[in-house]
Each structure stands twice: as structure tokens, then as C-alpha cells.
Amino acid sequence: MRNTLKAATLESKFPLLAIEYDCILSKDADITIAYKVELPELFTVTSAEYEAMHSVWGKAIKVLPNYSIVCKQDWFVEENYQPQVEKEDISFLSRSFERHFNERPFLNHSCYLFLTKTTKERAKQQSNFNALTRGFIIPKEMQDKETALKFLESAGQFERIINDSGFIKLTRLTTDEIVGTKEQAGILEKYFALSQEDTTCLQDMALSAGEMKIGDKYLCLHILSDTEDLPGKVQTDIRYERLSTDRSDCRLSFASPIGVLLSCNHIVNQYIFIDDHAENLRTFEKQAKNMHSLSRYSRSNQINKAWIEDYLNDAHSFSLTSVRCHVNVMAWSEDREELARVKNDVGSQLALMGCKPRHNTVDAPTLYWAGIPGNQGDFPAEESFYTFIEQALCFFVGETNYKSSPSPFGIKMVDRVTGKPLHVDISDLPMKKGIITNRNKFVLGPSGSGKSFFMNHLVRQYWEQGTHIVLVDTGNSYQGLCEMIRNKTKGEDGIYFTYTEEKPISFNPFYTEDGIFDVEKKDSLKTLLLTLWKSEDDKITKTESGELGSAVDEYIKRIQSDKRIRPGFNTFYEYMRNEYKPELESREIKVNKEDFNIDNLLTTLRQYYRGGRFDFLLNSERELDLLNKRFVVFEIDQIKENRELFPIVTIIIMEAFINKMRRLKGVRKQFICEEAWKALSSPNMADYLKYLYKTVRKYFGEAIVVTQEVDDIISSPVVKDAIINNSDCKILLDQRKYMNKFDSIQNLLGLTDKEKAQILSINMANNPSRIYKEVWIGLGGAQSAVYATEVSKPEYLTYTTEETEKMEVFCLAEKLGGDLEQAIKQLTDTRNNPIK
């Protein structure tokens, strides 16, 4: 029986001949060079930068020879997030984070650029004479070797111009990336499967005027191929109202509505056809004369003549290059009913651009076929319209969605638009690239903005990657995380110091586990004693500093030689009173009391000695050396207003960190100070703070200050000079409370207008179906973006600062024998499965 089906094999119709020297050769001898394109991230480009990108594209296109085709192909494919839970050492909270995002859909963007050299005859062919309907005859022009070499040379210039701009990066595709390998699909295979996955296979294609289908995917096609469908005005960028305020502008490219803002599977094909510019103008001159001679028969002829003359006048007056352009949006769905919604979405997004949506069914197979990588020469000429390069480039999609950092170190944040988890490095890679010169961070956010929540998220991930963390807190914000770490390490880590009347905070600064006292340790003990002795206004003389340093040195020698002496402030005070004072008085060269008043010293320090009102502070019986503890929290909310205790406690904490900083070689260290910087703002402590901020980068460390009081920052020169000027990474949360005085914050932090616009867009258009808060991260004034802090329920219960929720977690943990992790698991299960 004869087969009457009108079917053909892809092999018989395949328009490509070969891939040679990474160039695609069609059966009509068209030469195509393919590139992978990296565009800047969404919401990170200013209007001036969009103008610069537009200019660079224009300069690059002008180096291409006549009868070249530029095809930019943007793929937006729906994918589902695959959690990374296969690691052996993944923690409970990290696994919870990954599971929270399991199978979350997001739109993945891939961009390709195809430069094709064709011929004059091929450039004029129409849809009734394309590769689907005829055989192949090699044009005579393409047999000339010189033509191919000139095109390859101009393509190389095109690539250099684009890459030198710094905004866009072109990477030429190799033969394997075009045709694929056994392990990886090439772009040809991906195009015929309408997929960006590596494991694709060829599927049946139904190419008909009424309906087009690739496998199970139904296609719809919207085109911009007629000047009547175009907006009255095009521009490089537009204002994105949802994230703009009356004080700031959020900018997107003109074509962004059909790019990252169109949330369905689709491909945007943007064509620019470079014909012979002089011949085009001669043709238009003839048409204008014809229209003029026929104007008496029809008013439309007279109008057309005026339009053509306007086109010619602009071409000559502004030295514009005449080109043809075409844009189409190819969207698909596996469900016919869903396809109707997709069709409406594409049409509405085109309407947002000011275009007239035109759904094309007749030419869909032809335009799909012309979109095959390397087959751009098969494009039907009647589907294009005449314009200039500058106007045509406005239809290029100019941005992509957020990308993960290639660095192995970093933190997990979330894309604010799609909700996809991202790996973000804000410490190491920016240092290697020279974007920042130190890892220090300054965090600013008003109460309730999610500041402590974000810091919990950051600190937990740093700790899991081997960082030593010393944290000064005021408000029990890190109690849950510290307890979780203590449970995980069975009490070996997660040290939590806090002050209560029943159990006041206590240290022993004179104790070291290995008995080593280096120069920095001795200097920090001397600084501590000077802080105990002198008030903020008192001047410290060189004699006083020298004598106290000598006393510390002699005491250390004593405890190192006599193991019966227990290191501590009590024994140091007794040494000063019983031994150092008599020795001082018996010297041949007398030390005047005006130079060093040891009686005044002993009297002032008496309150920290046994029986004094602060005898608990420096005589801890816990022989705890913090050098090898990786997570240490000092919660000092109860004493933050105590003018005597607060500076002392703070300096002991800083001494503990500096000890880590100096002695732990090659280990990442992090010092985090919430509101305690106020105590460090005194003149006595200013040098200490400046030393820490300027020195910590040399020891693979970083200092972080977290605050919510803008006025305190502005009024404190120490904070401005020591902290802000030495923090290349700035992190800001919702600043809408400070909208009216944000200009002063902008000047203080040295923020650009682009960064200001990003910051003021925080939390303005959050997705109501997700629970998250946004945070802005800026690196050295050169790189910045807004991310979402979205976490799983176990992470939320660990980080929460709500008193009722914390009480619920800790009370349940107490019933379970102190197992906080088990308590959080139970509460999570209860909330996921409420009793009906």
C-alpha cells in the first residue's frame, strides 16, 4: 500500500552542509559564526550604560560587510530548581534550605548571536523560495575565497569591539558546542527540541499554516515585520515603574517586556539585515519619484512619498545606515489551553512596548526554519522592514537574570524576580578581581528590616565553610543559631556569653591554653588595664604606658615559671601590690607619682579585685581559651548602657579576636559587631578600632559592623573614618523609613545614583506568594545588586527574633533534653500539617 502522508525526513530538508573551523556552512554556502552572549544582570544597568551598550552594538555592526545578517537569539526556558543535597557533610539547615526550593520553577535565559555572510540574491528571496521547498545551488560569489576571509576578519573585529566595551561578553562557540557530543547536546540539537537541556533528542515536527508543533509543544508566533506595527518612538531603555520612586529611576532595556519580564517558554529572534546602503537609498529615490508622479491619483501615494523623503533626509543628514529589521517572539506550551494564555501574555507584553501585536500563523514554519543556527540566510525578505541601525538595535534584549558566582566560597541568596537560589561570593572573588581591596562589611538597616535575620543567614553559611566567628550582639539575635551549633558539635563549639544578675558575664584575659603570650597579647592586656584605670578624658603618658607594660611582662614571666600561680586578675593585682610596688619604690632612679601613680592605679583597679563590686568580670573560673572555638557570641544587651563595664567587655572581646587573627594562619576569621561600636567610638578606643579595620585584611579576616541608627553614624567621625572608609562591601536593607534623608546617607556611604535607585527599590514589588525580604549588596562601587533573603521553615525558627516563637522553640527543646534540632523538626512538621 502506498504511503500518502505528506511527510519528509529532517535529513532530506536539512539546510546545513558542514561545520568547519568552528564555522557553520549552509548548503547555499552561507557562512555563519556563532557566539554565546553574556549580558549584564537585571536592574543593574543605568540609562547611560544602556546608551553605551547601544552605541557599542552599532559600532560593531558597522564593520560587517554588505549582505551580512546579525541574528540575536534569546532563549527563555522554564526550568525547575534541583536541590544540592548529595553532599556528605551537608548540615541540617543547609539541607532544609535546598529542600525548600525543590522543583521551584524559574525562567532560565540563554543568549546566542549568529553572524551570517550571504549573497545579494539570497537576501532578497521570499518565503516561497526557501530551503523547505527547493534544492540548493551554490551562489557564485561564495565560491570566492577572499569573500570568506574578509567576513571572518570583520567578525573578529566585531567580537573585539563588543568585548572591549566591558558590558557584554561574546564567546565563540566551538564545533562541539554547535553540533554536540555524546555527553552534551549542541545548539542545533537544542533548537530542534526547543530545549536547553544537555540530554535532548530529535522529535517529530508538524509544520503547517494552521498549527505548528515540535514534539508535544504547541508553538505560537508573534512578529514585528511591518512599520505599521511598530511604536511611534523607540529608545534604548525605559523606566520600570514597579521599582521606581519619585526620587529614583529603575531602568530596563526597551525590549525587556518580551525578555526577562515575559514569564513563559519563549525565544526572541532579533534580526538585522545589512544590505547595500547606497543601493537601498537609490531604490528609495526611485520609489519617491514614482509616488510623486502617481500622487494625483491617490492621496496615500503623496503621504508615502513624504515618508520616503523623511527617511532619505534622515539618512543623509545624520549619516545613518539603512538596514532591514525583523523581530519575532516564538512561545510554546504543551497544553492547548495554556497556549491561549501564553498567546495573550506575549501580545500584552508587545503592547507594553507600544507595538501592535500580530499573531502570525501562515509564516510560522518558515520563520522557525530561518531561526536554525546557521540558516539565517533563509529568512524571507518580505517579513522585514526598513529602518536604521540605531533604531533596529532598540529591539535587542539588553539584560539577563541573576547569575551565580563561579567561586567555591559564598552564600546562598535568592533571585528577587524568579525566586531561584543563587550562589553569591561577596568576599573572595571580588578581592581576586580587584573590585574590593578588603573583605570588611558595613550593614545598615532600620528596626524590622530583617537585618539580624540576614546576618544569621550569612554567619551560619560562613561558619559551615570553616570560618572562625567572634560576634558581639545586643538582643539575643543569634541565640538560636549558637545553640544549634553547640548541639551539632556536642558542646565543643557554639560558645554563648551573656550577662544576667544571677550569672554575670565573666572572662579571664590572662589565661591561654598553650601558655603562649606573644607581643600582641601583652599589648592587649596593657590596653585593657589602661582602660580600667583611665577615664575617657584622661591623657596617658609614655611613662604610664611603659611601666604598665613592664609590669605585665614581669607578671607573665612569673606565671610561666611558677605553675602554682593561677593566671587571673586577682593574682596580677596581688603581684602589683605586693611585689611591683615595693620594687618601684626601691629603685635608684625614682619614679614620681606625677609620672606613674601606682597607688592611684591600685585604688582604681581595686573594684575588679576579689571582694570588689566587679570582681566577677576578670576572674572567670572557666579555663576557656577561645582561640580554637569557631563560633563565639558575646550578648551584652544588659550592660550596653553601663559606662564602666561595656568598654571593658568590648576590649576583651576584641582582644580575643585579634588573638585569633594573629595566630590562626590561613584560616578565615570574621569579627561582627552589632551595636557595640558605640563603645568603641571613644577617643581611647578609636585607634584600636582603626587598627583592627586596617589590619584584619592582611590575616584573611573581615570585620563587620551592623547598625540601625543613621544619626549615630552621621554624627560619629570615628565610625565614618574607621569603619565606612575601610568597608568595601556595603549591605543595606529597606531604607524607606529614611527616604527623606537618604541623600545624607548616600553622601556618607559614597553611593552612586544607580546604587541609590537599587536601594530605594527594595521590597517595592515583592511576590505575594513568597515570604522574603530583600537586601542590597554593593561591592567597591563597581558591582551591586538586590537579592532576596528567603529561607526554609527550620531556618526561620532558628533565626527568628520574635520572643513568642523563640520561647516556643526553646521550651520544646528543653522537653526534648536540649535537642534544638529535634524541636525545630517537630515544630516544622506541626506547621506543615496543622490539625484540622
Side-chain angles (χ1 to χ4, degrees):
M1 183 177 177
R2 179 183 294 176
N3 184 0
T4 58
L5 290 176
K6 294 180 181 179
T9 63
L10 178 62
E11 184 180 7
S12 65
K13 298 293 183 182
F14 199 61
L16 306 183
L17 177 67
I19 312 293
E20 294 186 5
Y21 302 103
D22 301 333
C23 296
I24 307 173
L25 300 179
S26 77
K27 290 179 179 177
D28 285 290
D30 295 336
I31 303 172
T32 300
I33 300 173
Y35 296 96
K36 177 80 173 175
V37 184
E38 292 182 32
L39 297 170
E41 293 179 347
L42 194 67
F43 308 130
T44 63
V45 187
T46 64
S47 183
E49 288 169 337
Y50 276 120
E51 290 277 0
M53 289 166 57
H54 180 271
S55 175
V56 166
W57 279 119
K59 290 174 183 175
I61 288 175
K62 287 176 182 177
V63 305
L64 297 176
N66 289 343
Y67 306 110
S68 295
I69 303 171
V70 179
C71 175
K72 184 167 171 286
Q73 196 172 83
D74 290 87
W75 288 68
F76 298 90
V77 182
E78 290 180 354
E79 296 183 11
N80 294 325
Y81 180 73
Q82 300 301 316
Q84 301 171 4
V85 293
E86 67 280 354
K87 298 177 185 175
E88 292 182 4
D89 59 342
I90 189 170
S91 69
F92 164 63
L93 293 180
S94 290
R95 183 177 281 107
S96 300
F97 178 88
E98 293 292 334
R99 285 177 173 172
H100 174 73
F101 293 95
N102 184 33
E103 295 296 317
R104 172 168 288 187
F106 65 93
L107 208 61
N108 194 19
H109 179 203
S110 302
C111 184
Y112 302 98
L113 184 76
F114 306 111
L115 301 182
T116 302
K117 178 67 179 78
T118 185
T119 61
K120 181 178 180 180
E121 289 72 20
R122 290 265 291 155
K124 292 180 178 180
Q125 74 181 19
Q126 299 193 349
S127 57
N128 59 359
F129 195 74
N130 98 339
L132 286 170
T133 61
R134 54 155 177 79
F136 301 95
I137 301 174
I138 298 176
K140 186 176 181 180
E141 301 98 296
M142 299 306 291
Q143 298 178 26
D144 182 10
K145 182 179 179 181
E146 193 68 25
T147 302
L149 291 176
K150 284 183 178 179
F151 173 68
L152 293 176
E153 183 181 338
S154 63
Q157 293 174 7
F158 182 101
E159 182 181 349
R160 282 195 300 273
I161 291 170
I162 296 293
N163 286 336
D164 287 348
S165 71
F167 297 109
I168 306 160
K169 182 180 178 183
L170 299 184
T171 305
R172 187 166 173 183
L173 298 181
T174 63
T175 300
D176 286 345
E177 289 171 323
I178 295 170
V179 298
T181 61
K182 289 182 179 180
E183 298 80 22
Q184 190 175 5
I187 59 170
L188 288 170
E189 191 175 350
K190 290 176 181 178
Y191 186 82
F192 283 111
L194 289 182
S195 169
Q196 285 294 303
E197 295 180 2
D198 284 334
T199 53
T200 59
C201 60
L202 294 179
Q203 300 171 343
D204 289 341
M205 300 180 192
L207 307 178
S208 64
E211 179 181 86
M212 184 171 172
K213 193 177 177 186
I214 307 292
D216 295 329
K217 299 167 182 172
Y218 296 93
L219 271 71
C220 68
L221 187 73
H222 287 76
I223 62 171
L224 296 177
S225 60
D226 195 320
T227 51
E228 293 181 0
D229 299 335
L230 301 179
K233 180 182 178 182
V234 294
Q235 51 198 25
T236 57
D237 56 291
I238 56 174
R239 176 182 162 98
Y240 186 57
E241 293 294 344
R242 293 185 66 190
L243 294 180
S244 297
T245 69
D246 57 347
R247 296 172 179 268
S248 62
D249 258 1
C250 178
R251 310 300 294 185
L252 289 175
S253 66
F254 180 74
S256 61
I258 56 173
V260 287
L261 300 184
L262 177 56
S263 57
C264 64
N265 289 308
H266 66 288
I267 298 174
V268 183
N269 288 300
Q270 304 126 92
Y271 294 88
I272 295 178
F273 303 91
I274 305 166
D275 300 324
D276 187 330
H277 169 68
E279 186 178 333
N280 281 351
L281 297 188
R282 285 195 295 270
T283 302
F284 279 120
E285 293 283 4
K286 289 179 183 178
Q287 287 182 358
K289 290 179 182 178
N290 290 338
M291 292 296 173
H292 178 69
S293 62
L294 298 171
S295 60
R296 63 182 296 183
Y297 299 107
S298 171
R299 186 173 295 276
S300 61
N301 289 336
Q302 191 172 351
I303 293 171
N304 287 338
K305 178 222 174 193
W307 283 349
I308 294 171
E309 286 185 341
D310 286 342
Y311 184 85
L312 291 168
N313 290 338
D314 286 345
H316 288 294
S317 301
F318 303 106
S319 299
L320 302 177
T321 303
S322 173
V323 295
R324 287 182 294 120
C325 179
H326 171 89
V327 179
N328 67 59
V329 182
M330 191 185 304
W332 65 87
S333 175
E334 295 184 4
D335 185 358
R336 284 179 184 268
E337 294 181 3
E338 179 71 13
L339 185 67
R341 184 193 66 80
V342 168
K343 200 181 296 183
N344 291 334
D345 286 350
V346 177
S348 63
Q349 292 299 98
L350 282 168
L352 282 178
M353 296 170 59
C355 302
K356 180 180 178 182
R358 188 178 293 276
H359 180 233
N360 189 314
T361 56
V362 176
D363 288 330
T366 306
L367 294 176
Y368 172 80
W369 204 251
I372 299 170
N375 195 40
Q376 278 64 44
D378 244 4
F379 188 90
E382 78 272 16
E383 291 290 353
S384 59
F385 59 88
Y386 281 95
T387 184
F388 300 115
I389 291 176
E390 287 74 13
Q391 283 74 14
L393 286 171
C394 292
F395 292 97
F396 272 26
V397 174
E399 58 277 303
T400 185
N401 41 25
Y402 286 5
K403 302 173 217 146
S404 289
S405 168
S407 170
F409 182 84
I411 59 174
K412 286 282 189 180
M413 297 300 290
V414 177
D415 187 319
R416 70 188 302 201
V417 177
T418 65
K420 174 193 173 186
L422 298 165
H423 178 78
V424 183
D425 184 357
I426 56 176
S427 291
D428 289 2
L429 191 61
M431 280 281 285
K432 290 178 182 176
K433 288 185 174 181
I435 295 172
I436 58 176
T437 56
N438 60 67
R439 295 179 174 86
N440 300 336
K441 297 170 179 59
F442 177 74
V443 183
L444 174 66
S447 179
S449 62
K451 183 171 65 273
S452 296
F453 204 87
F454 166 76
M455 286 304 300
N456 266 280
H457 192 55
L458 181 143
V459 164
R460 189 262 298 177
Q461 295 178 83
Y462 269 64
W463 180 82
E464 288 178 355
Q465 295 173 85
T467 306
H468 278 245
I469 296 163
V470 174
L471 209 153
V472 188
D473 182 29
T474 56
N476 292 307
S477 302
Y478 303 88
Q479 188 176 7
L481 179 59
C482 191
E483 185 67 19
M484 183 72 79
I485 291 172
R486 196 180 69 80
N487 288 350
K488 180 181 175 65
T489 59
K490 298 179 180 178
E492 292 297 316
D493 205 354
I495 312 300
Y496 197 83
F497 289 97
T498 188
Y499 182 95
T500 61
E501 291 295 333
E502 300 78 22
K503 191 177 179 183
I505 195 167
S506 182
F507 309 96
N508 186 353
F510 293 90
Y511 174 78
T512 60
E513 192 173 328
D514 52 12
I516 297 174
F517 292 85
D518 54 18
V519 175
E520 285 74 24
K521 177 70 174 176
K522 293 176 183 178
D523 282 345
S524 67
L525 286 172
K526 182 188 74 173
T527 304
L528 170 64
L529 294 168
L530 286 169
T531 305
L532 297 175
W533 179 22
K534 296 287 186 176
S535 65
E536 290 183 10
D537 302 329
D538 289 342
K539 185 180 179 181
I540 299 170
T541 66
K542 199 168 184 179
T543 304
E544 288 171 336
S545 178
E547 286 295 336
L548 205 51
S550 299
V552 169
D553 197 48
E554 290 298 323
Y555 171 74
I556 289 170
K557 289 179 182 177
R558 185 66 54 89
I559 61 176
Q560 286 177 332
S561 61
D562 189 348
K563 300 299 181 184
R564 293 173 300 175
I565 301 175
R566 186 179 183 279
F569 182 80
N570 285 340
T571 54
F572 173 77
Y573 185 86
E574 289 166 358
Y575 166 75
M576 290 289 292
R577 182 189 63 192
N578 301 335
E579 298 183 41
Y580 195 80
K581 181 184 176 184
E583 188 272 330
L584 185 67
E585 293 172 346
S586 65
R587 289 183 191 173
E588 289 186 16
I589 302 174
K590 299 297 181 184
V591 179
N592 297 324
K593 285 192 175 184
E594 292 79 12
D595 295 328
F596 180 63
N597 193 336
I598 192 168
D599 291 330
N600 180 264
L601 170 68
L602 292 170
T603 302
T604 307
L605 268 56
R606 177 70 181 79
Q607 58 187 329
Y608 303 101
Y609 177 59
R610 188 182 294 112
R613 60 180 180 140
F614 297 133
D615 63 348
F616 58 84
L617 186 63
L618 303 173
N619 293 292
S620 172
E621 295 182 359
R622 290 174 69 191
E623 292 192 343
L624 181 66
D625 188 1
L626 301 179
L627 179 66
N628 297 308
K629 305 301 180 185
R630 290 205 299 113
F631 194 84
V632 184
V633 178
F634 296 93
E635 203 291 310
I636 53 177
D637 190 50
Q638 295 287 332
I639 58 170
K640 67 180 180 181
E641 303 301 333
N642 190 313
R643 294 171 61 87
E644 294 176 303
L645 289 183
F646 195 31
I648 298 164
V649 170
T650 308
I651 198 172
I652 292 172
I653 294 166
M654 292 186 70
E655 185 275 327
F657 177 75
I658 288 176
N659 190 38
K660 283 178 179 286
M661 182 181 80
R662 290 281 186 176
R663 296 183 59 186
L664 295 175
K665 306 293 185 183
V667 177
R668 191 187 303 273
K669 281 86 62 175
Q670 197 174 62
F671 176 76
I672 302 169
C673 197
E674 285 265 346
E675 296 294 333
W677 59 265
K678 293 178 184 177
L680 306 180
S681 300
S682 65
N684 285 348
M685 293 300 299
D687 290 338
Y688 211 111
L689 187 65
K690 289 178 182 178
Y691 166 78
L692 174 66
Y693 259 81
K694 290 180 179 179
T695 310
V696 69
R697 68 176 182 83
K698 300 176 183 177
Y699 296 91
F700 198 21
E702 54 188 75
I704 304 176
V705 162
V706 185
T707 186
Q708 66 181 24
E709 297 295 337
V710 182
D711 293 333
D712 287 341
I713 302 166
I714 295 171
S715 61
S716 173
V718 174
V719 176
K720 182 179 179 181
D721 296 338
I723 297 177
I724 296 175
N725 292 346
N726 289 292
S727 297
D728 281 358
C729 176
K730 296 177 177 65
I731 301 171
L732 276 72
L733 292 99
D734 198 332
Q735 298 292 313
R736 282 179 289 181
K737 287 183 180 179
Y738 303 136
M739 182 82 75
N740 293 331
K741 53 181 177 181
F742 192 78
D743 288 344
S744 59
I745 299 174
Q746 181 182 2
N747 294 332
L748 177 74
L749 301 182
L751 303 174
T752 64
D753 288 338
K754 176 175 85 171
E755 292 170 331
K756 174 185 176 180
Q758 290 174 335
I759 294 164
L760 294 181
S761 75
I762 291 174
N763 294 333
M764 282 193 63
N766 287 9
N767 190 330
S769 65
R770 292 160 41 209
I771 300 174
Y772 63 95
K773 287 188 177 179
E774 292 181 338
V775 55
W776 175 84
I777 300 175
L779 298 168
Q783 185 177 312
S784 59
V786 177
Y787 300 94
T789 306
E790 182 179 352
V791 298
S792 62
K793 289 181 180 177
E795 288 174 295
Y796 174 82
L797 292 172
T798 304
Y799 305 156
T800 182
T801 54
E802 289 291 328
E803 189 67 25
T804 53
E805 292 175 330
K806 285 175 68 175
M807 290 285 291
E808 186 180 8
V809 171
F810 279 94
C811 287
L812 182 56
E814 192 174 345
K815 292 178 183 177
L816 296 171
D819 192 339
L820 191 69
E821 183 177 319
Q822 193 61 37
I824 289 173
K825 285 180 180 177
Q826 284 194 21
L827 284 173
T828 303
D829 292 340
T830 304
R831 295 184 178 191
N832 286 339
N833 305 294
I835 299 172
K836 295 183 179 178

